[in-house]
Amino acid sequence: MFDLIVRQANIVGKQLPQDIACQQGKIVAVALRIEGEAQREIDATGRLVTPPFVDSHFHMDATLSMLGQSRQNESGTLLEGITLWGELKPEQTVEKVKERALKLMNWSIARGVLAIRSHVDICDPELTAVQALLEVREQMRPYVDLQLVAFPQDGYLRDPKARENMARALAMGVDVVGGIPHFERTMADGAESLRQLCELASKRGLLMDIHCDESDDPHSRHVEALVAETVRTGLKGRVAGSHLTSMHSMDNYYVSKLLPLMAEAELNIICNPLVNLLLQGRHDTYPKRRGLTRVKELMAAGINVALGHDDVLDPWYPLGTHDMLEVAHMGIHALHMSGRQEMESLFNAVTYNPAKIMQLEGYGLEPGCRADMVVLQASDPVQALRVKAPRLKVVRAGKVIAETPEVKSHVYFDDKVVDVDFT
Ligand code: FE2
């Protein structure tokens, strides 16, 4: 007797629908027809079944902080967002941060997002958010893989306490080393911060994730130092560069030198289309730059690229429900990636690619993988993106942990009723 069998699932890469059998939290068989019974069966005929969505770039400490606030980020810039967050920070308590994070994670689970890498601001003498999110990580461990990045929001060198706080946060159990070189006072300080942070990550055997060149300034080239330090400190494949929006505005000749260096360092890239479309290009009149990094070219260079949500209802982004299909849908438009294979590659950018960045163990739909999956009201990834498909069932360790009813509309003509589901 299996714990769960998902029958007749459409799986990317398989010609025919497959049955998926789960036992003790693992996928134990994937085959055209699996004989036997299970405690629970899900009929997935005509439905795409995918491993869970993964958001490798999020800010859980700030999320939902603008719910019910009268003040908003009126200019829509990164810098006003940082100022606004600076005003809100002193009001935060462990309980408030936990409450907001747990509420957001209910949304995440309902949207099929079962792995999240969240940056947590360490430029607060009390490390309130660190404490709160460490508790949330433990509380939610049965449901969501939450990976935390120690993020020196006010600059690793610029903030006099950041170095000490980084060491404290890592000692408390934060998983990943973060940084923000473009917020240091000078380019030289930015490069120096990366030198120190790479050495720290290398010495401690940790992954890294750097907010890098989140700027419209084509001369913001910290990615160059990140690549060099990644190679020098032996961190190949273990470092993510988040945002990299300045690459949008860089000279093409310089980018042609940069891309092979990034590939050589096996740098992972995380682009955040929803948030950077709002934040970037704010100093432009017309034409206005989109300000997103060069995802198509990065992928063509063999570089692993993920898309992140970044923010939901916080000082940097006034919208969102933590829906990674919405992120990829925006990416299709803003990155000019509307070819069929390109759209499929952006579906991977919210599933397999960020799972690789987070080094999630047992991610996928093969026997031996963790029994985590999502049944979508769509037949394939492109249709899922087009209709932003409802997540009918969200499965964690072989158990259904969230359900959304099938979405159907009814159109009433004089002589008949037509059911519409947009697929
Ligand atoms: Fe971010």
Side-chain angles (χ1 to χ4, degrees), residues 235-276:
L235 287 172
K236 271 189 184 184
R238 299 174 60 80
V239 177
S242 283
H243 297 291
L244 290 164
T245 56
S246 75
M247 281 185 73
H248 188 94
S249 300
M250 281 174 186
D251 172 67
N252 287 336
Y253 185 85
Y254 176 69
V255 173
S256 74
K257 177 198 169 193
L258 185 58
L259 288 173
L261 292 173
M262 294 166 80
E264 182 197 344
E266 296 168 34
L267 195 67
N268 297 285
I269 306 304
I270 305 166
C271 167
N272 301 301
L274 293 172
V275 171
N276 283 127

Side-chain angles (χ1 to χ4, degrees), residues 5 12 23 35 112 123 150 160 181 187 193 200 203 222 277 287 298 304 311 327 344 356 361 370 384 389 398:
I5 298 179
V12 172
Q23 186 124 37
E35 299 299 333
C123 294
M187 284 294 289
S193 76
L200 184 66
K203 202 167 78 190
H222 294 291
L277 269 181
L298 287 161
N304 185 41
D311 303 285
V327 173
E344 287 168 354
K356 185 177 172 197
E361 278 174 27
R370 289 162 54 168

Side-chain angles (χ1 to χ4, degrees), residues 14 28 32 44 56 59 95 110 121 128 171 177 217 219-220 237 263 270 275 278 285 308 367 390 410 418 423:
K14 305 270 189 195
V28 290
L32 281 176
S56 58
H59 292 265
E95 284 315 309
D121 187 356
T128 307
V177 174
D217 175 5
H219 301 292
S220 185
I270 305 166
V275 171
L278 274 199
T285 52
H410 310 285
V418 175
T423 59

Side-chain angles (χ1 to χ4, degrees), residues 85-264:
W85 179 233
E87 291 169 21
L88 292 172
K89 252 197 274 191
E91 298 166 13
Q92 302 307 313
T93 62
V94 170
E95 284 315 309
K96 277 190 194 169
V97 175
K98 279 177 72 176
E99 194 183 316
R100 289 192 282 98
L102 291 170
K103 179 170 175 154
L104 185 280
M105 285 170 92
N106 291 342
W107 300 5
S108 315
I109 293 169
R111 294 297 196 193
V113 183
L114 299 188
I116 304 168
R117 173 182 278 183
S118 173
H119 295 257
V120 49
D121 187 356
I122 56 161
C123 294
D124 147 39
E126 311 301 326
L127 293 182
T128 307
V130 172
Q131 186 58 46
L133 293 187
L134 285 169
E135 290 178 26
V136 168
R137 187 182 69 184
E138 293 317 305
Q139 187 177 331
M140 294 302 284
R141 199 181 283 282
Y143 311 101
V144 177
D145 297 301
L146 178 60
Q147 198 175 71
L148 298 175
V149 185
F151 175 47
Q153 172 79 74
D154 301 334
Y156 188 60
L157 301 178
R158 189 167 168 180
D159 181 310
K161 284 280 182 199
R163 273 181 288 186
E164 185 190 324
N165 288 356
M166 171 69 75
R168 283 170 61 204
L170 296 178
M172 287 164 75
V174 172
D175 309 279
V176 179
V177 174
I180 184 165
H182 56 275
F183 199 69
E184 305 292 355
R185 287 194 173 86
T186 63
M187 284 294 289
D189 279 0
E192 174 59 18
S193 76
L194 291 174
R195 190 185 68 77
Q196 293 186 22
L197 289 164
C198 283
E199 285 184 356
L200 184 66
S202 176
K203 202 167 78 190
R204 291 177 178 248
L206 297 175
L207 300 177
M208 271 187 93
D209 194 325
I210 299 296
H211 279 67
C212 194
D213 300 323
E214 191 176 5
S215 160
D216 291 322
D217 175 5
H219 301 292
S220 185
R221 294 178 175 186
H222 294 291
V223 60
E224 193 181 79
L226 182 61
V227 159
E229 290 300 327
T230 296
V231 174
R232 185 181 70 82
T233 54
L235 287 172
K236 271 189 184 184
R238 299 174 60 80
V239 177
S242 283
H243 297 291
L244 290 164
T245 56
S246 75
M247 281 185 73
H248 188 94
S249 300
M250 281 174 186
D251 172 67
N252 287 336
Y253 185 85
Y254 176 69
V255 173
S256 74
K257 177 198 169 193
L258 185 58
L259 288 173
L261 292 173
M262 294 166 80
E264 182 197 344

